[in-house]
């Protein structure tokens, strides 16, 4: 079986790439080992898929080479994908912060990508396991459960390691290593964080309580909701900052974002009330009580010396929490790290040292923020490779 292009992985990036290459007249085979295509699209955004973000740009991505994503994002933008969605008559809406969702169902997008593949006469093997990939002369030989395939271009679109029960594998990283490309160690990102035992003992019964906070760590800073869970912290602010957390640095949490905590506290310094009662104006009461107990502030505010008030104000603006870890790939939305971009062309997504070998989507060391940025990377990188594979 000879093809111009074999794409491994029928997720967002793989289908976009296959459709583009097929519509250029290339003979394309798409190989997927799971029994359904686009499973992550289906489960994303609560079943409505946050398929892009109108503001997506290089600043919204993490990578060892932050400029790598620039070219592909500029050549296939959120507006391009929105035009495709509109051409297929799919209704969508903007929720907040530029996030676009389907009105009805993420299945609409999967059907759209399938129709785009059909328009490019893409052929399928699904479900079909890939046992091995080797280079033979100027072709790639792909050993699949349905027999061998030869292709002049091989596109690896196998995604990251999140949600293994719907098909995630480290296969893409292994192929990269086999062909001499470096892999930035993968780690769970956009993931809830676990409290260390002492914090869990103190705050573990606040499950479901949420706080408007600004969380920062290692150069990342996000103001959104923070949610207490029975194991630690989650919510958009925590998912976002988890991608920046290196396992060592504490998170700095501003519990009074947009307010000068010291001025707020000093304006109430003559109050007979306990700090926890005053804080309940701004924070959920139970959390305020636990937080004050943890920080040893039980006396009425008027009895707190000025130096102590300053300390408390600083702690409110800069509550330090050192998580004990993440909740791992089962709960993560994406995998940070992946195929090192230093070995890839940012224009084509091809390996510079291996003609015809391409890597796209989440398997590459480009990780977007929460909010539609990861799908946009899948569309943009898939589109880029689809022009050259
Ligand atoms: C619960 C959840 C919700 C999410 N919500 C959003 C959201 O709303 N917005 C957003 O932008 N991002 C979201 N994401 C992230 C987004 O889904 C991914 O970044 C995106 O799907 C990556 O696309 P991809 O094509 O690179 O990889 P994937 O979509 O993971 O596709 C990879 C494909 O390769 C297949 N595969 C793997 N190994 C092999 C192999 N050895 N042989 C053959 N096939 C193989 C897999 O089965 C899969 O079909 C979410 C992720 C999760 C887990």
């Amino acid at each position: 079986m000879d093809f111009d292009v074999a794409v491994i992985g029928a997720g967002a990036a793989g289908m976009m790439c296959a459709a583009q290459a097929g519509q250029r007249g290339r003979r394309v085979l798409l190989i997927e080992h799971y029994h359904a295509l686009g499973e992550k699209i289906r489960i994303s955004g609560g079943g409505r898929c946050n398929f892009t973000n109108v503001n997506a740009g290089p600043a919204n991505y993490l990578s060892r080479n932050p400029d790598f994503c620039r070219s592909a994002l500029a050549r296939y933008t959120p507006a391009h994908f929105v035009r495709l969605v509109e051409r297929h008559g799919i209704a969508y809406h903007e929720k907040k912060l530029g996030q676009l969702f389907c009105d009805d169902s993420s299945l609409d997008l999967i059907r759209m990508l399938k129709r785009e593949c059909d328009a490019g006469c893409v052929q399928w093997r699904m479900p079909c396991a890939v046992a091995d990939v080797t280079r033979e002369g100027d072709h790639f030989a792909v050993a699949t459960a349905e027999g061998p395939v030869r292709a002049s271009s091989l596109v690896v679109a196998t995604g990251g390691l999140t949600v293994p029960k719907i098909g995630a594998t480290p296969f893409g990283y292994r192929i990269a290593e086999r062909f001499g490309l470096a892999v930035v160690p993968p780690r769970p990102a956009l993931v809830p964080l676990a409290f260390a035992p002492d914090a869990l003992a103190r705050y573990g019964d606040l499950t479901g309580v949420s706080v408007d906070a600004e969380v920062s760590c290692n150069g990342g800073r996000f103001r959104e909701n923070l949610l207490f869970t029975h194991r630690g912290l989650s919510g958009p602010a925590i998912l976002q900052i988890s991608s920046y957390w290196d396992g060592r640095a504490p998170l700095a949490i501003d519990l009074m974002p947009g307010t000068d905590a010291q001025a707020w506290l000093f304006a109430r310094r003559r109050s007979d009330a306990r700090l926890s009662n005053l804080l309940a104006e701004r924070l959920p009461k139970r959390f305020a009580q636990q937080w004050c107990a943890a920080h040893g502030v039980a006396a009425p505010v008027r009895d707190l010396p000025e130096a102590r008030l300053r300390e408390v104000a600083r702690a409110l603006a800069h509550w330090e929490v050192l998580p004990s870890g993440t909740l791992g790939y089962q709960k993560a939305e994406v995998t940070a790290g992946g195929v090192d971009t230093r070995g890839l062309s940012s224009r084509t997504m091809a390996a510079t040292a291996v003609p015809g070998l391409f890597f796209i989507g989440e398997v590459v060391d480009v990780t977007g923020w929460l909010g539609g940025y990861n799908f946009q990377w899948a569309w943009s990188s898939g589109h880029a490779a689809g022009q050259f594979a």
Side-chain angles (χ1 to χ4, degrees):
M1 290 289 279
D2 277 8
F3 289 88
D4 296 320
V5 184
V7 180
I8 305 180
M15 283 196 281
M16 171 59 93
C17 177
Q20 288 298 314
Q23 290 174 25
R24 278 174 47 233
R26 304 283 278 162
R27 285 169 305 138
V28 181
L29 177 70
L30 190 39
I31 309 167
E32 167 61 50
H33 73 153
Y34 195 63
H35 58 79
L37 53 92
E39 270 297 272
K40 286 227 182 109
I41 300 174
R42 185 181 66 76
I43 64 169
S44 66
R48 295 222 166 99
C49 187
N50 176 195
F51 58 81
T52 192
N53 191 299
V54 295
N55 303 315
N60 308 113
Y61 294 85
L62 289 87
S63 170
R64 280 215 182 150
N65 174 5
D67 281 330
F68 179 80
C69 60
R70 190 175 289 278
S71 168
L73 288 173
R75 282 176 296 132
Y76 194 79
T77 63
H80 286 107
F81 192 74
V82 166
R83 277 206 286 283
L84 180 65
V85 167
E86 288 175 348
R87 191 150 55 72
H88 284 261
I90 298 172
Y92 65 92
H93 60 279
E94 181 172 334
K95 217 169 183 178
K96 58 166 187 168
L97 304 171
Q99 303 170 2
L100 301 189
F101 287 76
C102 298
D103 280 3
D104 296 326
S105 164
S106 47
L107 294 174
D108 290 340
L109 287 182
I110 299 174
R111 283 190 282 264
M112 174 190 88
L113 291 163
K114 176 73 171 60
R115 282 203 292 270
E116 287 291 310
C117 286
D118 290 346
C121 301
V122 171
Q123 295 188 45
W124 298 80
R125 285 192 183 178
M126 190 188 96
C128 176
V130 179
D132 200 13
V133 174
T134 50
R135 182 104 177 139
E136 288 176 1
D138 58 355
H139 281 79
F140 291 93
V142 185
T144 80
E146 291 179 23
V149 171
R150 272 160 48 93
S152 38
S153 291
L154 179 73
V155 182
V156 180
T158 47
L161 298 173
T162 55
V163 203
K165 65 174 188 278
I166 55 168
T169 71
F171 189 73
Y173 309 133
R174 299 295 90 82
I175 297 184
E177 285 164 346
R178 157 87 61 89
F179 286 96
L181 279 89
V183 174
V184 176
R187 61 187 171 86
L190 299 182
V191 61
L193 298 173
F195 273 139
D198 55 337
L200 188 62
R202 187 166 296 280
Y203 300 110
D205 66 345
L206 295 178
T207 305
V209 169
S210 104
V211 175
D212 171 26
E214 186 170 275
V215 186
S216 50
C217 187
N218 290 328
R221 177 180 295 272
F222 297 92
R223 178 172 178 181
E224 288 207 56
N225 272 356
L226 169 160
L227 180 72
F228 289 86
T229 72
H230 67 291
R231 294 190 57 188
L233 294 172
S234 187
I238 292 299
L239 298 182
Q240 296 280 30
I241 208 68
S242 72
S243 301
Y244 289 77
W245 187 57
D246 58 7
R248 294 185 298 274
L251 312 182
I253 302 177
D254 184 349
L255 294 168
M256 294 202 157
T259 299
D260 179 338
Q262 187 165 307
W264 185 89
L265 207 48
F266 273 69
R268 290 158 179 77
R269 61 190 298 189
R270 308 209 187 288
S271 171
D272 290 336
R274 289 172 189 275
L275 179 63
S276 58
N277 289 333
L278 291 183
L279 280 178
E281 292 170 22
R282 299 285 305 245
L283 296 166
K285 184 161 186 154
R286 279 199 301 142
F287 170 64
Q289 287 167 338
Q290 307 276 40
W291 189 91
C292 287
H295 290 78
V297 257
V301 171
R302 69 174 149 68
D303 294 341
L304 295 175
E306 192 172 313
R308 183 75 180 117
L309 275 181
R310 279 187 216 286
E311 273 173 23
V312 172
R314 190 181 136 63
L316 281 169
H318 198 94
W319 178 36
E320 278 200 0
V321 174
L322 179 58
S324 63
T326 77
L327 295 203
Y329 290 115
Q330 300 286 352
K331 300 284 177 194
E333 219 165 85
V334 289
T335 303
V339 178
D340 194 329
T341 59
R342 285 173 299 186
L344 303 177
S345 155
S346 61
R347 205 164 89 83
T348 66
M349 303 292 132
T352 40
V354 189
L357 179 62
F358 297 74
F359 291 88
I360 56 174
E362 199 179 311
V363 75
V364 177
D365 173 34
V366 172
T367 306
W369 289 0
L370 186 73
Y373 301 98
N374 284 295
F375 277 127
Q376 185 58 44
W377 171 245
W379 316 134
S380 297
S381 59
H383 186 274
Q387 311 309 307
F388 294 95

